[in-house]
Amino acid sequence: MMVGLSAFALYASDAAPASRSQDNSKPVESEILRLDVEARLDYQWVTNDGHTDDSRSGFEGKYLVMRIDGMIMPGLTYSWRQRFNKNTSLFEATDWVYLDYAVNRWNFQAGKEVVAIGGYEYDRAPIDLYGCSVFWNNIPCYAFGVAAGYGISENDRLSFQVTESPFANSGCRNIYGYNLMWNGRHGIFESIYSVNMMEYAKGHFINYIALGNKFTVDKLRLELDFMNRASSHQQFLFKDCSLMAELSYSPSDKWRIYGKYTYDVNKASTEADLVVRAGTELNMAGAGLEFFPLMKERHRLRLHAGCYYSWGHNANPANTMQDKTMYATAGLTWDMNLLNIKRKN
């Protein structure tokens, strides 16, 4: 996907509204209601050790998403994003639905939100991603909670969030995640850093340090993420971690060419990590391109193609990417703005 806005996006105005992670839209300025629909259709081909996986190959409707945003009054906005491609309950198919109140340098949000975890792979909207890390493929990233953000400068913002734990389930909902995030923008360098404490069982936590770095020089962009995960009774650094790197080049507004590499490893002696399971050590490398034949203010059409190869061991057998797996994809995405209702002065 194209790069989304970070969890509490940076704007020049001290009272600018907070915008959620995985957000491709412009900030609401005067609309009472803005309705957008996105859809993506892919043809994909998956092979394992040279043998076609017929259960995962073929045409697939990847995403069908409706999004509604609006301003109730100056400073008070709402956002709702709903997926129709998920065969689940209404709220489980709701990516987010929240209210945001902005005053001076502060922002306050409540509702179902994107869990504030650092990194640029995580920050992108799912519809804009093709081949991803083991962590990205398994982390539940939307939860009910509250958040507050403070703009410490025009280029730096801190936010704190408390949510239901991503690992809450019907048997135990009373567990929580505590997230502190820094978003920065300084010249060619941008950052999405976070420290997170996620309760994976009652009274038991796994800690994340997520460092998302982006460097932009003219038409070149490098996104480099590192995440370390640790719980009690294990070595703190590098036993359980992920690295995600993507280098892209945009010769014009209509083209983007990229190469990507991810590495996920969990050699910890505990079962605390429910996302990258113990025993995993998987590499993935790939490349692709995007072409935008239509780029209007209210509409976007994108064609994409990419190919990825993974090797190593993935302890989660449900994931597509396993040892000696090749994943090729080609498809199209369209983003349509269907309705705008402006506020009357």
Side-chain angles (χ1 to χ4, degrees), residues 125-147:
I127 200 170
D128 293 329
L129 283 169
Y130 313 108
C132 297
S133 64
V134 176
F135 177 82
W136 186 94
N137 274 293
N138 294 286
I139 180 67
C141 57
Y142 307 106
F144 287 96
V146 294

Side-chain angles (χ1 to χ4, degrees), residues 303-324:
L303 307 178
H304 74 264
C307 186
Y308 304 85
Y309 183 78
S310 61
W311 66 98
H313 178 66
N314 188 346
N316 187 344
N319 288 173
T320 296
M321 304 308 286
Q322 302 289 334
D323 184 35
K324 299 178 182 177

Side-chain angles (χ1 to χ4, degrees), residues 99-144:
L99 286 173
D100 174 90
Y101 180 64
V103 56
N104 298 322
R105 291 175 177 260
W106 288 93
N107 294 92
F108 303 93
Q109 292 184 350
K112 190 173 186 183
E113 308 177 346
V114 181
V115 180
I117 299 173
Y120 280 92
E121 182 187 59
Y122 180 89
D123 188 58
R124 293 190 190 182
I127 200 170
D128 293 329
L129 283 169
Y130 313 108
C132 297
S133 64
V134 176
F135 177 82
W136 186 94
N137 274 293
N138 294 286
I139 180 67
C141 57
Y142 307 106
F144 287 96

Side-chain angles (χ1 to χ4, degrees), residues 186-223:
H186 298 276
I188 67 170
F189 171 67
E190 297 177 50
S191 62
I192 310 175
Y193 286 9
S194 75
V195 289
N196 311 84
M197 290 182 60
M198 302 297 187
E199 204 169 6
Y200 66 90
K202 191 68 175 177
H204 298 276
F205 290 86
I206 185 167
N207 307 304
Y208 297 166
I209 299 174
L211 308 176
N213 307 275
K214 180 165 68 174
F215 303 90
T216 305
V217 180
D218 195 18
K219 298 178 180 181
L220 273 175
R221 173 173 294 173
L222 173 65
E223 294 177 1

Side-chain angles (χ1 to χ4, degrees), residues 7-188:
F8 286 86
L10 303 169
Y11 301 106
S13 169
D14 289 342
S19 181
R20 299 311 298 157
S21 175
Q22 308 186 59
D23 180 354
N24 290 326
S25 69
K26 294 182 179 180
V28 171
E29 296 177 347
S30 60
E31 297 99 332
I32 298 173
L33 185 148
R34 183 175 67 204
L35 172 63
D36 293 275
V37 174
E38 289 182 288
R40 177 174 145 195
L41 172 67
D42 284 18
Y43 176 80
Q44 61 188 36
W45 181 38
V46 180
T47 68
N48 294 112
D49 199 11
H51 302 285
T52 299
D53 184 343
D54 292 324
S55 67
R56 290 185 164 117
S57 298
F59 289 103
E60 183 174 344
K62 284 286 188 178
Y63 296 98
L64 179 59
V65 181
M66 178 191 73
R67 173 158 177 180
I68 297 175
D69 297 271
M71 179 180 290
I72 300 170
M73 56 179 283
L76 182 62
T77 59
Y78 65 89
S79 185
W80 171 26
R81 191 171 82 181
Q82 189 76 24
R83 284 198 227 183
F84 296 100
N85 58 291
K86 296 183 73 173
N87 185 22
T88 184
S89 68
L90 176 66
F91 266 123
E92 288 180 345
T94 302
D95 285 347
W96 66 65
V97 55
Y98 65 85
L99 286 173
D100 174 90
Y101 180 64
V103 56
N104 298 322
R105 291 175 177 260
W106 288 93
N107 294 92
F108 303 93
Q109 292 184 350
K112 190 173 186 183
E113 308 177 346
V114 181
V115 180
I117 299 173
Y120 280 92
E121 182 187 59
Y122 180 89
D123 188 58
R124 293 190 190 182
I127 200 170
D128 293 329
L129 283 169
Y130 313 108
C132 297
S133 64
V134 176
F135 177 82
W136 186 94
N137 274 293
N138 294 286
I139 180 67
C141 57
Y142 307 106
F144 287 96
V146 294
Y150 181 72
I152 57 180
S153 74
E154 288 188 356
N155 297 312
D156 298 278
R157 190 167 197 87
L158 288 177
S159 57
F160 179 69
Q161 181 190 59
V162 180
T163 68
E164 185 178 67
S165 171
F167 311 116
N169 54 63
S170 58
C172 185
R173 297 177 55 87
N174 192 28
I175 55 176
Y176 300 93
Y178 305 90
N179 312 302
L180 179 65
M181 177 176 282
W182 167 54
N183 295 86
R185 181 182 297 143
H186 298 276
I188 67 170

Side-chain angles (χ1 to χ4, degrees), residues 216-253:
T216 305
V217 180
D218 195 18
K219 298 178 180 181
L220 273 175
R221 173 173 294 173
L222 173 65
E223 294 177 1
L224 182 62
D225 300 336
F226 173 75
M227 168 178 278
N228 192 83
R229 299 173 292 272
S231 62
S232 58
H233 309 298
Q234 75 174 73
Q235 179 180 317
F236 188 78
L237 291 174
F238 307 124
K239 280 286 188 180
D240 183 5
C241 59
S242 296
L243 176 70
M244 307 84 157
E246 181 178 295
L247 179 64
S248 62
Y249 174 66
S250 299
S252 71
D253 291 340

